[in-house]
Amino acid sequence: MSVLRKLLNLNREDMRTKTDSFYQVRPDCDDVPKTRFSPKAGKTLSERRWRSAFSEEGYLDIAKVLSRVQRGGVHPSIRGEVWEFLLGCFDPKSSFTERSSLRKQRREQYAKLKADCHAMDSSVGSGVVITTPRINQDGSLVQNSEGLTTGNINHMPYAHTDNPYQPVKQSLDQVDDNHKLDSNHDDSGNIMCTNKDTIQWILLLHQIGLDVVRTDRTLKFYENSENLAKLWDILAVYAWMDKDIGYCQGMSDLCSPMVVLQTNEADAFWCFEHLMRRMRGNFRCTDNSVGVQRQLQSLASITQVLDPKLHRHLETLGGGSYIFAFRMLMVLFRRELSFGDALFLWEMMWALEYDPEIIASYREADSSYPNRYSKEKRRDKSKSQWGKYERQRIENGLQGSLETPIAVFLAASVLKAKSSKLLREAQGIDDVVKILNDLTGNLDAKKACTGALRLHKKYLRKAKNNN
């Protein structure tokens, strides 16, 4: 028996090594959390199972796919393809031909968006230069060869002028009501930016650049400056397209896996754009609040119902706003897991909350889909077409809203698992943060999803009884 156990353990370790080979870590990064996920025969969606789920015309049996993903995730070799369906980029009921046509349209649309983004006021370039300017405290940009450069990726776009840069010598507060700066040149003869929108855009791109070089830098993938440039461009194009949200810190963590999984930059962009359809509310900021606060409030309500003792303790410590869970919800547990395990968690969540009605709404709002989709009636409403989490919601009359996504119950399951430790050891919010930070590298994605489903079912039952 011990020999058999050793063989099984060796096999698991071999599978884990093969999984890690898809997302290789730089050899100098020895403190990176180890990947727990490894494909399991009969549970993980394999390439063979994935191919067999399509008809000859290309229609996908999404129920078979959801069943496999919910049980054991997706094999890394096909993640990029599967995610396009889980995120709603493609309709399972579309044919190979229709998807090929749609992909071509989207790539052309992205190329146009990218060109428009780079042509903003004819002043913003592609950002691929050797030297990086920095922003001084007074809002000025200075040419500096000691910036956070990596290869030939730039952390600020350059200007299409005789001079390689356009330093901004005045802050936005110093721009007059006509949105003009006081002068078109500085003392050194550098050409000045003269439009307030341009200044805002340059400062936003600078922030993107700073975040890009910090994102997933443990991966060998990002030693290639071309891959860094893809991530930079996708985030810039999204900020250009969605001006209401723009760019916020955390988006680079959500976008990076798309760049890793999709070889084509445009395909990666549309995966990210569809993920942001779910997540953009979290990044909507006003003078008084951040969008994710709604989910934090939901987390507080859920904990109050399921673990009132813990909730009271957290309130006593001044943590009643649950701001300590902010990062978990903003970047979907990216910092608590290895890169591979984070991807496993994401695909599990998307499969569990898959809703064909929401996918249909994407089609109707997207002019790039074939016209026939917008006129079509809702299709097969078999329960197998929905994820387990969404089925629980349907049974309780909550279909059609992602105001409380499964990520909130994942956070609740983490708090539940750490409840006794928090009650025993947490004497302040700093202690709460420290205890939760200890999860890094120790969170089991599969158990977390199972726990989230269990808590969701229990919460719905208690909420129903209270009503």
Side-chain angles (χ1 to χ4, degrees):
M1 181 65 71
S2 60
V3 175
L4 178 59
R5 187 177 292 112
K6 286 181 180 179
L7 288 172
L8 288 172
N9 288 337
L10 285 172
N11 184 57
R12 290 192 191 99
E13 196 61 37
D14 181 56
M15 290 299 293
R16 190 172 292 113
T17 301
K18 289 181 179 177
T19 304
D20 285 340
S21 69
F22 285 90
Y23 320 113
Q24 293 185 15
V25 174
R26 287 164 37 202
D28 57 314
C29 300
D30 54 4
D31 59 344
V32 178
K34 300 296 182 183
T35 298
R36 291 167 172 257
F37 168 75
S38 58
K40 294 178 175 60
K43 292 185 178 180
T44 301
L45 179 65
S46 65
E47 184 174 3
R48 182 180 66 82
R49 289 279 185 179
W50 171 245
R51 304 297 173 211
S52 67
F54 289 92
S55 69
E56 289 185 8
E57 296 82 7
Y59 303 119
L60 176 63
D61 186 342
I62 192 65
K64 287 184 179 179
V65 171
L66 294 178
S67 175
R68 284 280 172 173
V69 178
Q70 289 166 161
R71 290 172 65 192
V74 179
H75 193 279
S77 63
I78 54 172
R79 264 196 175 121
E81 301 173 51
V82 178
W83 279 24
E84 288 182 306
F85 286 89
L86 293 179
L87 288 169
C89 298
F90 292 127
D91 174 24
K93 299 299 183 182
S94 61
S95 67
F96 288 130
T97 302
E98 289 169 336
R99 290 196 294 276
S100 177
S101 175
L102 182 53
R103 190 183 296 279
K104 181 181 178 182
Q105 285 179 258
R106 283 181 173 157
R107 287 179 178 180
E108 291 173 352
Q109 187 178 353
Y110 176 73
K112 185 178 184 304
L113 285 168
K114 187 173 176 179
D116 290 344
C117 170
H118 285 172
M120 200 276 197
D121 284 334
S122 299
S123 63
V124 178
S126 65
V128 184
V129 295
I130 299 295
T131 307
T132 300
R134 292 184 308 173
I135 297 182
N136 288 326
Q137 291 183 349
D138 63 359
S140 64
L141 301 181
V142 293
Q143 183 173 334
N144 189 316
S145 59
E146 298 177 357
L148 298 172
T149 54
T150 302
N152 66 343
I153 188 72
N154 179 29
H155 315 295
M156 265 301 302
Y158 63 86
H160 293 305
T161 66
D162 293 335
N163 269 303
Y165 306 103
Q166 284 185 324
V168 181
K169 288 293 185 182
Q170 292 168 275
S171 68
L172 292 178
D173 293 337
Q174 294 172 301
V175 180
D176 64 24
D177 293 336
N178 295 321
H179 307 300
K180 298 292 182 180
L181 293 170
D182 296 337
S183 173
N184 290 329
H185 295 77
D186 66 7
D187 295 338
S188 302
N190 291 321
I191 299 174
M192 305 294 294
C193 292
T194 60
N195 184 279
K196 184 174 182 178
D197 291 339
T198 302
I199 301 169
Q200 290 175 319
W201 178 242
I202 289 175
L203 295 177
L204 180 145
L205 291 177
H206 181 73
Q207 183 61 59
I208 291 175
L210 293 176
D211 289 348
V212 161
V213 297
R214 292 189 292 239
T215 303
D216 291 326
R217 297 299 290 143
T218 60
L219 296 180
K220 284 187 176 181
F221 179 84
Y222 283 117
E223 289 183 326
N224 184 336
S225 60
E226 290 185 3
N227 294 329
L228 280 173
K230 284 183 182 179
L231 178 58
W232 193 96
D233 276 333
I234 289 172
L235 293 169
V237 172
Y238 183 82
W240 170 256
M241 182 187 75
D242 189 352
K243 293 181 174 63
D244 186 36
I245 299 298
Y247 174 80
C248 300
Q249 285 186 312
M251 287 185 184
S252 60
D253 292 289
L254 300 177
C255 184
S256 174
M258 311 307 172
V259 179
V260 174
L261 296 181
Q262 301 290 345
T263 55
N264 184 278
E265 183 180 317
D267 297 342
F269 171 82
W270 290 111
C271 281
F272 174 64
E273 189 270 342
H274 276 70
L275 174 57
M276 284 301 296
R277 295 187 190 197
R278 300 164 177 252
M279 301 287 296
R280 71 189 298 273
N282 283 1
F283 295 94
R284 187 184 296 279
C285 300
T286 66
D287 292 337
N288 302 316
S289 66
V290 180
V292 76
Q293 285 181 343
R294 176 178 291 181
Q295 291 186 13
L296 293 173
Q297 290 166 359
S298 296
L299 177 58
S301 299
I302 291 165
T303 306
Q304 186 174 19
V305 170
L306 298 178
D307 196 340
K309 188 176 180 180
L310 175 61
H311 179 73
R312 287 195 298 271
H313 182 60
L314 292 173
E315 281 194 318
T316 301
L317 300 179
S321 64
Y322 284 62
I323 197 69
F324 50 79
F326 180 91
R327 189 180 71 185
M328 293 182 189
L329 298 177
M330 284 293 281
V331 296
L332 297 179
F333 298 85
R334 277 297 314 274
R335 309 294 172 80
E336 285 70 33
L337 298 162
S338 69
F339 186 81
D341 283 349
L343 306 196
F344 172 49
L345 177 69
W346 287 10
E347 62 205 14
M348 289 275 290
M349 289 194 296
W350 298 335
L352 288 168
E353 61 187 14
Y354 187 88
D355 183 350
E357 297 287 333
I358 291 178
I359 303 303
S361 73
Y362 290 169
R363 294 200 307 262
E364 293 168 0
D366 192 342
S367 60
S368 58
Y369 275 104
N371 289 333
R372 69 180 181 83
Y373 286 135
S374 61
K375 299 177 181 178
E376 210 171 25
K377 293 183 178 180
R378 297 288 186 259
R379 304 187 185 185
D380 184 6
K381 292 196 175 184
S382 166
K383 281 189 175 182
S384 63
Q385 304 294 312
W386 277 267
K388 288 182 182 178
Y389 177 76
E390 194 58 33
R391 288 205 297 270
Q392 288 180 357
R393 291 164 54 76
I394 291 172
E395 291 167 2
N396 286 270
L398 299 173
Q399 181 189 2
S401 171
L402 282 175
E403 286 187 4
T404 309
I406 194 171
V408 177
F409 283 91
L410 273 167
S413 72
V414 167
L415 292 177
K416 186 71 175 175
K418 292 290 183 180
S419 180
S420 59
K421 189 176 180 68
L422 288 167
L423 288 169
R424 185 175 62 253
E425 300 180 13
Q427 302 300 315
I429 291 301
D430 288 344
D431 294 330
V432 174
V433 173
K434 182 179 182 301
I435 290 170
L436 294 180
N437 282 345
D438 289 342
L439 286 167
T440 302
N442 298 312
L443 182 63
D444 187 308
K446 180 65 182 293
K447 287 182 179 179
C449 283
T450 303
L453 277 176
R454 185 166 55 248
L455 285 184
H456 182 239
K457 190 172 184 178
K458 184 178 179 181
Y459 175 76
L460 291 175
R461 185 173 64 250
K462 285 198 169 187
K464 191 173 183 179
N465 291 337
N466 290 339
N467 291 333

